[in-house]
């Protein structure tokens, strides 16, 4: 069975990666986060001011629209990522399994990014936003599957650290650009012009970064030409289309670690998304600051600078220590920062909150991927299973904005909009704490037994 597992995997040795290989392999995360990191916390909420209750900032109508728009984009992720991941697992040809989907998705993503910068009206803005979500999910589904193909088990923590570092540097660049280009937006007659100009330039920068990231990945990360796998010969498969579809979606849930890694990530991302989606409107409506865009960006950049300090070192450390403990501590730090906004919404200085949150975010980001790959039932189906695992990000991205907008709308109806924002942040903190507890249900098996066994059992 070990020989057959090697054959279906295509590159059983996965040679050790140099530092240059690690940077090249993870560079596209930097570009993707340049485009994406500032969208929901800063750029999209600011653009919504042009269409929903113009002249106001942070009211319940804008929060509700932002929540539904975010949820609509996340629904695309729920469907697209597992399907594209599964398709890439079985793609054969001279270009490899993952590269065709990365390139095709990037074309759609760049087109949507540039379209969002034009925003002639609300419907065009929504169309561009959905196009961005479609392209982004196609790219992510294939790209996140490329990494397990290339990273040897003993380097998963280090690779996760490099991914975390590239992700955080992309976040810093994205939020820094958004702060510079949109930080002076406020109320007044010039607001519309400032938003249109600043957002347009942001999207051009993002599109350029995406094209560079695509070229680095296609040229620097080579896939061997894919051949048909031996699944039909060596793998027992369920009879009938319905049975195969059920096996595809339900198979991973038979594995204890996969289930708990999924649930842990689900609660962590639920808390993170709830916190990040409404933070800009929180500054505008609860703290009553006229520079709410700048304050949001400053808090985010402080957090990300702290995250850079923790990401790479913690990822490498996790190859020699418990990833479970790292995830629990990291999530606890984020929960602590979120809950301070509930108990002391106006009196606590922002910079220590940003540093505490950032340290936890960096540590979590640097270990999360390695923990997930350790828990995969079979690397042969990494694309499909990573796509299903990613539902732990996309499902909370649907639920968090909807739940948050409902809470804020209810509080607004009672004349307590500020209390509604504090309640949302309380829910975010509770979700993060739940993730810090659930992670201890995972039984760590670094390197993954699935490298040698379990391939034939995972249909």
């Amino acid at each position: 069975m070990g020989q057959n597992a090697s054959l279906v995997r295509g590159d059983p040795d996965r040679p050790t990666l140099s530092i240059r290989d690690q940077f090249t392999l993870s560079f596209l995360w930097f570009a993707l986060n340049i485009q994406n990191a500032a969208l929901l916390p800063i750029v999209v909420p600011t653009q919504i001011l042009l269409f929903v209750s113009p002249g106001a900032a942070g009211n319940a109508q804008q929060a509700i629209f932002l929540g539904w728009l975010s949820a609509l984009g996340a629904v695309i992720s729920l469907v697209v990522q597992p399907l594209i991941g599964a398709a890439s697992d079985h793609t054969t040809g001279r270009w490899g399994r993952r590269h065709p989907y990365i390139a095709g998705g990037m074309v759609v993503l760049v087109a949507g990014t540039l379209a969002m910068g034009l925003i002639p009206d609300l419907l065009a803005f929504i169309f561009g936003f959905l196009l961005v979500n479609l392209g982004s999910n196609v790219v992510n589904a294939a790209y996140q599957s490329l990494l397990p193909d290339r990273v040897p088990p003993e380097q998963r923590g280090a690779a996760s650290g490099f991914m975390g570092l590239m992700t955080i540097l992309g976040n810093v660049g994205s939020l820094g650009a958004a702060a510079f280009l949109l930080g002076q937006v406020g109320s007044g007659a010039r607001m519309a012009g400032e938003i249109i100009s600043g957002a347009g330039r942001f999207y051009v920068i993002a599109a350029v970064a995406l094209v560079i990231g695509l070229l680095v990945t296609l040229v620097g990360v080579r896939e061997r030409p894919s051949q048909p796998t031996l699944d039909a010969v060596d793998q027992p498969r369920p009879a009938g289309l319905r049975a195969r579809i059920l096996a595809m979606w339900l198979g991973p849930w038979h594995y204890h670690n996969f289930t708990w890694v999924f649930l842990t990530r689900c609660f962590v991302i639920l808390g993170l998304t709830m916190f990040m989606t409404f933070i800009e409107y929180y500054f505008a409506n609860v703290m009553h600051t006229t520079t709410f865009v700048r304050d949001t960006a400053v808090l985010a950049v402080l957090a990300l600078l702290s995250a850079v300090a923790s990401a790479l070192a913690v990822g490498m450390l996790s190859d020699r220590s418990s990833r479970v403990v790292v995830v629990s501590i990291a999530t606890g730090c984020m929960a602590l920062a979120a809950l301070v906004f509930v108990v002391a919404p106006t009196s606590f200085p922002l910079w220590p909150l940003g540093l505490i949150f950032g340290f936890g975010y960096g540590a979590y980001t640097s270990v999360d991927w390695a923990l997930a790959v350790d828990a995969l039932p079979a690397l042969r189906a990494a694309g499909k299973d990573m796509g299903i695992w990613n539902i732990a990000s996309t499902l909370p991205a649907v639920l968090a904005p909807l739940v948050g907008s409902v809470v804020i709308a209810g509080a607004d109806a009672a004349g307590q909009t500020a209390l509604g924002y504090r309640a949302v942040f309380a829910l975010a903190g509770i979700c993060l704490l739940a993730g810090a507890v659930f992670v201890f249900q995972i039984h760590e098996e670094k390197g993954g037994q699935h490298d040698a066994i379990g391939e034939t059992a995972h249909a």
Side-chain angles (χ1 to χ4, degrees):
M1 180 163 69
Q3 182 181 6
N4 290 341
S6 296
L7 286 171
V8 296
R9 205 174 288 131
D11 187 9
D13 295 328
R14 292 189 186 87
T16 300
L17 301 174
S18 66
I19 292 178
R20 178 179 178 180
D21 292 334
Q22 294 273 28
F23 271 113
T24 303
L25 186 60
S26 297
F27 184 80
L28 188 54
W29 289 125
F30 171 78
L32 289 170
N33 282 279
I34 283 282
Q35 184 271 342
N36 182 66
L39 284 188
L40 284 181
I42 296 179
V43 183
V44 168
T46 305
Q47 289 180 284
I48 287 173
L49 303 182
L50 297 172
F51 307 117
V52 180
S53 301
N59 62 29
Q61 290 72 31
Q62 291 163 348
I64 292 169
F65 182 83
L66 175 61
W68 281 99
L69 184 66
S70 303
L72 186 61
V75 167
I76 296 174
S77 302
L78 285 172
V79 178
V80 170
Q81 290 220 20
L83 294 180
I84 294 297
S88 70
D89 285 335
H90 297 93
T91 295
T92 60
R94 58 181 300 204
W95 302 110
R97 296 197 292 174
R98 319 299 183 185
H99 279 175
Y101 298 94
I102 293 174
M106 189 63 77
V107 172
V108 177
L109 176 55
V110 171
T113 298
L114 294 175
M116 286 189 71
L118 299 177
I119 55 166
D121 55 49
L122 179 58
L123 289 179
F125 172 70
I126 294 173
F127 176 76
F129 181 81
L130 297 179
L131 206 61
V132 162
N133 277 271
L134 175 61
S136 176
N137 281 286
V138 172
V139 174
N140 273 280
Y143 182 48
Q144 72 182 2
S145 307
L146 179 62
L147 276 71
D149 294 347
R150 294 294 310 274
V151 179
E154 67 275 9
Q155 285 190 296
R156 283 180 189 157
S160 192
F162 276 97
M163 287 174 54
L165 179 63
M166 290 292 101
T167 297
I168 292 164
L169 289 176
N171 288 348
V172 171
S174 181
L175 293 162
F180 178 76
L181 296 170
L182 293 165
Q184 300 306 313
V185 170
S187 58
R190 299 175 55 188
M191 182 180 73
E194 291 171 342
I195 293 174
I196 293 171
S197 174
R201 285 181 287 171
F202 174 85
Y203 287 122
V204 170
I205 292 170
V208 171
L210 290 171
V211 172
I212 294 172
L214 174 64
L215 294 176
V216 169
T217 302
L218 295 183
V219 175
V221 183
R222 296 189 179 276
E223 287 192 276
R224 292 181 181 179
S226 297
Q227 301 297 327
T229 70
L230 299 183
D231 287 354
V233 176
D234 295 318
Q235 307 294 324
R237 285 192 165 233
L241 178 61
R242 182 170 177 268
R244 289 191 181 189
I245 291 173
L246 287 175
M248 177 180 122
W249 287 94
L250 301 180
W253 304 106
H254 297 155
Y255 294 82
H256 174 92
N257 276 2
F258 183 90
T259 301
W260 282 105
V261 166
F262 182 96
L263 289 175
T264 296
R265 181 174 174 83
C266 193
F267 274 89
V268 172
I269 300 302
L270 185 63
L272 273 173
T273 305
M274 208 173 292
F275 182 79
M276 294 302 297
T277 300
F278 297 102
I279 186 67
E280 181 176 315
Y281 292 165
Y282 172 91
F283 282 124
N285 200 284
V286 178
M287 300 190 73
H288 302 292
T289 173
T290 57
T291 55
F292 49 89
V293 176
R294 186 185 66 191
D295 290 346
T296 304
V298 167
L299 178 66
V301 170
L302 278 173
L304 292 171
L305 289 175
S306 177
V308 169
S310 65
L312 187 57
V314 171
M316 291 181 173
L317 178 66
S318 77
D319 279 329
R320 299 171 178 82
S321 62
S322 170
R323 303 201 219 279
V324 164
V325 172
V326 171
V327 168
S328 182
I329 294 173
T331 306
C333 288
M334 291 187 286
L336 176 63
L339 291 173
V340 169
F341 280 93
V342 180
V343 299
T346 59
S347 59
F348 204 88
L350 290 179
W351 67 267
L353 294 180
L355 295 178
I356 293 169
F357 188 90
F359 176 84
Y361 178 74
Y364 177 80
T365 303
S366 69
V367 176
D368 181 44
W369 178 85
L371 193 63
V373 176
D374 287 345
L376 288 178
L379 290 181
R380 173 180 56 82
K384 184 261 293 182
D385 290 343
M386 289 294 285
I388 292 175
W389 168 74
N390 204 60
I391 293 174
S393 296
T394 54
L395 183 60
V398 174
L399 295 177
L402 292 180
V403 170
S405 62
V406 168
V407 171
I408 293 168
D412 181 68
Q416 298 290 329
T417 305
L419 182 61
Y421 281 102
R422 293 173 68 183
V424 168
F425 284 7
L427 288 173
I430 291 169
C431 290
L432 289 166
L433 288 174
V437 173
F438 287 166
V439 73
F440 285 104
Q441 295 294 322
I442 298 169
H443 305 147
E444 288 193 86
E445 295 175 359
K446 290 183 185 175
Q449 277 188 315
H450 55 266
D451 284 353
I453 65 174
E455 297 282 0
T456 59
H458 189 66

